[in-house]
Structures are given as structure tokens and as C-alpha cells.
Amino acid sequence: MKKIFLTLIISVIALSVFSQQEYLNATSDVKVYKGGGTYKVKTYKQKFKSEKPKNVVLMIGDGMGVAQVFAGLTANKGHLFLDNFRWIGFSKTQSADNYITDSAAGGTALSSGIKTFNGAIGVDLDTVPVKTILEEAEEKGLATGLVSTSAITHATPASFIAHQASRNYYEAIAADFLKTDIDVFIGGGYNHFAKRMDGRNLIDELQEKGYKVLQDINEIKKVKNGKLAGLVAPIHAGRLNLRGDLLPVATNTALNILKKDEDGFFLMVEGSQIDWGAHANDTEYIIEDMLDFDRSIGEVLDFASKDGETLIVVTADHETGGMAITGGSMDTGEVVGAFSTKDHSAVMVPVFAFGPGAENFTGIMENTNIFKKIEELLIKN
Ligand code: MG
Ligand code: ZN
């Protein structure tokens, strides 16, 4: 009996240490967004220096379906930076073992071009590691980066750099970062590097490998070159009112470092919390994060329009919430959201492309084809 009790206690502790799912328990659920601050959207010239991109920025709005985009567009009174994207398609998100994907299988499809089982991080159906676009870019001598507002060890960014049979193996995922030569990563997840069950201190190991390891975004944004590990929160960064302009600033910082590589770069930027707002069926939370993600798209457009050799692909891993919009106003920015699930849904998600090679991203495609097209343009060029 004592033994059972002890096992129970240990598993409760283990669960709380390992759990990054607290966003699924969000209690707020504001269905009607009453309107709020807006920002000006710039129009960029569609003139590029090359036919094929030297750099690719893949931007993933986690849980971002057409309704989430349109909620943001309405809240910003009719315009988004996404307006600049003229090549548009749809991605089918089904995983190998489920009609409705999770972010791990969805991330792996985008990072590696294979359909795998829900929960899988960079491994196939037999849990064999598959090479990711980030690893291929490294092999080719390009610079690489990952940016998110979740823990950097969470499913979406993890799919690009780690190879684990479960998205819940956060410490193993953090250790996988050390096996690569990624140049920049900025997100939460400090604890998975610093406070580990196995006693390893990955912060020391990162520093030995030449990384600047920083936790304050105001310090992080000053870094202009070299290797950078920005770990801005113990687990996830907070909601927008707590984290401020972390995502656009981190995106900009990553671009400034990566652009120094003459061979080009691959960068993945995730708007992680659109999904969490949708799990909570909270229209306000969705809009807050949709607009934050769109402003980050604006940062990349600013860079890409000057650079002329950068392809931007914006998509989602899946839709969340089965969101519909049943009312609203382009004048006031009001949005009335309605939801059919607290989970992910099966529907196609939008794909937006800007820059050299953007014309390839049209029509209805499998999520795995997004990887293949990027690989074709950036790696096999
Ligand atoms: Mg995610
Ligand atoms: Zn989700």
C-alpha cells in the first residue's frame, strides 16, 4: 500500500514537472471581442532579385485556420500584413494515424515532409529519426534559427530540431538542441535546459559550444552576431500583456543575426498561442495572438522586401476550436466567435507565400508538400 502511495506521489510530481499542457486548462473564454487597438499595415513591392530564394522564413500560426485569420483581420479593421501575400493555397493536415493531427505530427510534416503519428517529434511511424529542413540547411552550410512564444522544446519548434517518440520528452528534446549547430533560438523552456532530472546543465554545455545564453529579451535584442540561445521563460512565455512585443522583437533579432551568413538561412517562427486561445474558445486570446503573429510577419516582410532573396511561407499545423465567426464589424473591430470543439479540427488551413518561389504554393496540397517545395527551392537549388 505504501509503495502504491509513493508511486502515486512520484508520478504526480513527474507529471507537474513534465507537463506543458496547462494552457489546455485555461478558464477564460471571451466569445465576443469588442474591438481594441489597431496598427497600420504597409504594402510591399513585389519585386525580387532572384528566381529562387537564398533565405526561407517559415512562419507557423499554431491552430491558425481561416476563421482565426479573419478574426484578426476584422479586429484590425480590415487589413493585415498578410494582405501582401498574393500566392495562396490550402494545406491538408491529416496525420498518419489520425484524421485530426496534433502539433507534433503536424510540425513533423512541415519540418520533414513525412506523415507520422500524433505525438511524434521528427521521427517516422517506426520512431526512426527523419532529417528536418533545418538539419538539411545546416548540412548545406546555411544559418538556422527557431523562434516561438511557447517553450522552444514544445511540439512545433521541437519538430524542426529534435527526434523523439513523444512530444512530452522535454528534457530529451532540449538535449537534442546540443547535437546540432543551430545559430539562434529564442523562446521559453529555460527549465528544460537548466533544471533537469538527469543533472546535466545544458546552459553550461551551450556556453561551451559558444552560445550566448540570455533570458532577458532586452539583452537578447542587442545581440547582432554569433550563436544565441534566448530562453525567455521557465516554461512558456506569458500572454501578450505579460510578454509584450517578444515575438516581433525576437523575430527581428534572429533575422539580424542570420542575415550575416553569406550562404543564406532557414528560420522558423511560431505564433504558438493562437492555438491556446482557440483551445480555450476565447476570441480575445485568439485575436491578441493572431495580431501579434501578423506584426511579426510584418517584421519579416520589412526584411524580405529590402533583401529581395527571401521567401516567406506562412501557414498553420492545423486549425483549433472549429472556429466560426457569427458576427462582427469592420468599423469597430468587433468579432463574435463561435466554436465547435475545444480541440483541433480536421479542416484545411491556409498557406500564404511571398518572395522568390512563392508561386509554387498554390492549390490544395498535403502539409508534407510544403516541406518538399521549400526543400526544392532552398536545398536542391
Ligand atoms: Mg505549437
Ligand atoms: Zn493545440
Side-chain angles (χ1 to χ4, degrees):
M1 190 61 193
K2 244 185 181 170
K3 212 169 174 187
I4 295 173
F5 186 67
L6 201 70
T7 316
L8 200 78
I9 294 277
I10 289 171
S11 33
V12 166
I13 293 170
L15 264 177
S16 58
V17 168
F18 288 118
S19 174
Q20 293 202 79
Q21 313 276 13
E22 57 272 34
Y23 57 88
L24 297 177
N25 308 321
T27 48
S28 70
D29 60 342
V30 183
K31 297 285 182 288
V32 181
Y33 175 79
K34 294 270 194 322
T38 59
Y39 54 87
K40 237 183 131 55
V41 167
K42 263 168 82 176
T43 304
Y44 295 92
K45 267 191 246 142
Q46 310 267 335
K47 235 182 145 197
F48 311 110
K49 276 188 210 154
S50 54
E51 297 216 327
K52 283 195 171 182
K54 184 174 128 188
N55 316 308
V56 172
V57 184
L58 174 60
M59 305 188 71
I60 303 176
D62 197 316
M64 184 190 74
V66 171
Q68 285 78 2
V69 173
F70 197 70
L73 184 145
T74 303
N76 202 41
K77 300 187 179 170
H79 292 285
L80 290 176
F81 278 104
L82 273 173
D83 292 0
N84 286 285
F85 290 67
R86 294 191 185 160
W87 302 98
I88 296 170
F90 283 101
S91 163
K92 293 187 281 186
T93 66
Q94 282 60 49
S95 67
D97 71 339
N98 212 303
Y99 185 57
I100 297 177
T101 190
D102 80 324
S103 292
T108 301
L110 296 169
S111 73
S112 311
I114 59 139
K115 298 264 186 185
T116 188
F117 58 93
N118 283 6
I121 299 291
V123 297
D124 68 12
L125 280 168
D126 301 317
T127 69
V128 176
V130 286
K131 200 172 279 179
T132 72
I133 190 77
L134 186 143
E135 290 164 331
E136 288 188 1
E138 275 188 4
E139 270 178 20
K140 218 193 155 193
L142 310 190
T144 58
L146 295 173
V147 172
S148 71
T149 57
S150 66
I152 202 72
T153 47
H154 205 235
T156 312
S159 303
F160 285 80
I161 196 161
H163 303 281
Q164 297 295 337
S166 169
R167 57 184 290 169
N168 297 322
Y169 300 161
Y170 296 114
E171 293 196 355
I173 289 167
D176 279 353
F177 277 72
L178 272 298
K179 296 177 186 156
T180 73
D181 280 312
I182 185 170
D183 295 274
V184 187
F185 56 98
I186 307 172
Y190 180 84
N191 287 358
H192 301 130
F193 291 82
K195 297 177 181 167
R196 299 167 55 86
M197 308 281 270
D198 68 0
R200 264 174 86 182
N201 184 335
L202 300 188
I203 304 297
D204 290 347
E205 293 185 32
L206 282 167
Q207 284 167 341
E208 277 158 31
K209 276 192 84 172
Y211 287 88
K212 268 193 205 89
V213 183
L214 299 168
Q215 290 173 266
D216 181 351
I217 188 63
N218 293 311
E219 294 299 316
I220 290 167
K221 74 179 181 192
K222 289 181 200 154
V223 180
K224 298 275 183 277
N225 47 46
K227 286 187 174 295
L228 170 64
L231 294 164
V232 298
I235 309 287
H236 303 305
R239 266 182 80 160
L240 194 73
N241 61 336
L242 297 170
R243 71 173 193 261
D245 54 4
L246 170 70
L247 190 63
V249 169
T251 301
N252 219 345
T253 305
L255 288 170
N256 278 327
I257 296 171
L258 297 173
K259 75 178 182 194
K260 305 264 157 64
D261 193 315
E262 287 171 9
D263 301 314
F265 64 80
F266 172 80
L267 170 65
M268 193 287 297
V269 176
E270 186 198 20
S272 316
Q273 300 190 21
I274 300 168
D275 177 64
W276 307 353
H279 276 292
N281 288 182
D282 187 325
T283 307
E284 188 171 59
Y285 193 171
I286 290 168
I287 286 171
E288 189 179 288
D289 263 74
M290 184 63 225
L291 296 183
D292 180 57
F293 184 54
D294 186 60
R295 278 190 298 261
S296 307
I297 294 168
E299 295 292 333
V300 184
L301 278 168
D302 251 347
F303 168 80
S305 66
K306 284 176 211 137
D307 173 72
E309 293 181 286
T310 301
L311 167 67
I312 313 171
V313 179
V314 182
T315 190
D317 47 357
H318 53 73
E319 196 274 346
T320 306
M323 189 184 189
I325 297 174
T326 55
S329 160
M330 289 291 182
D331 297 326
T332 65
E334 181 179 292
V335 178
V336 183
F339 299 86
S340 56
T341 176
K342 290 229 159 190
D343 212 325
H344 302 167
S345 80
V347 295
M348 297 188 290
V349 293
V351 183
F352 304 91
F354 175 98
E359 67 281 1
N360 293 285
F361 295 83
T362 61
I364 295 175
M365 64 197 95
E366 288 293 345
N367 52 5
T368 48
N369 279 338
I370 297 171
F371 163 89
K372 283 170 192 147
K373 288 170 201 286
I374 293 174
E375 185 189 45
E376 200 65 46
L377 291 162
L378 186 67
I379 308 294
K380 296 183 172 167
N381 55 4

